[in-house]
Amino acid sequence: MTATAALTARALLLDMDGTLVNSDASVERVWRRWAERHGLDGDEVMKVVHGRQGYASMALLLPGRPMEQNYADNARMLAEETADTEGVVAIPGAPEFLASLRGLPHALVTSADVALSTARMAAAGLEQPEVRVTAESVGASKPDPEGFLKGAAELGVAPADCVVFEDSGAGIAAGRAAGMTVVGVGPRAAAHEPDVVVADLTKVRVEAVGDGTVRLHVG
């Protein structure tokens, strides 16, 4: 599908990093330090980490390392990321996009935990959706669809009636596995074949139809 489309949904499920918030500077700093500590190539590490929970990225990058070590390392990494909000800003159009969703069914579905998602949304000056599915809410990281399916369930909407907004390969795969339409946001998204791609959220207009349906004008 091209970047110009009209989509309908009964709920929207929104990733955070790369979709609502540009946190690339913080992610790069923290993960490149981690890569150096473990003797890994920073560029290769950065190809893996977007969209996943940290322990899942570590399992791919350090195969054979006990998961207990990955979970412990992930907790330290989350604390580092939460403390490092320098350069964290809103994706263009994100404030207006979130404002247009007030009163409409939507949820944040992020691989960040509560502390990190709260810190980054605040740093970017964005209001938190009332419904949030964070790292603590799920047992499996994206690209597993659990988070998106849980978001749909909490909103009381069938997965097929949801539209996902995502930037990463792992997140796009998760949305697709959940049986949802996926709008890819930003430069990383196009390579992973979402249903529609936009440069940023200035390219999305939300219209409440009145019968419980949301119409999205994308492009």
Side-chain angles (χ1 to χ4, degrees), residues 88-152:
V88 173
V89 296
I91 293 291
E96 296 81 3
F97 176 66
L98 287 171
S100 73
L101 296 181
R102 290 180 190 138
L104 300 176
H106 67 288
L108 187 72
V109 181
T110 176
S111 295
D113 64 4
V114 169
L116 180 57
S117 60
T118 300
R120 285 188 174 160
M121 291 288 280
L126 298 176
E127 59 184 272
Q128 290 261 25
E130 184 176 336
V131 177
R132 298 183 288 278
V133 179
T134 61
E136 297 94 339
S137 309
V138 297
S141 170
K142 299 172 186 177
D144 191 283
E146 181 186 357
F148 287 125
L149 292 172
K150 186 159 190 173

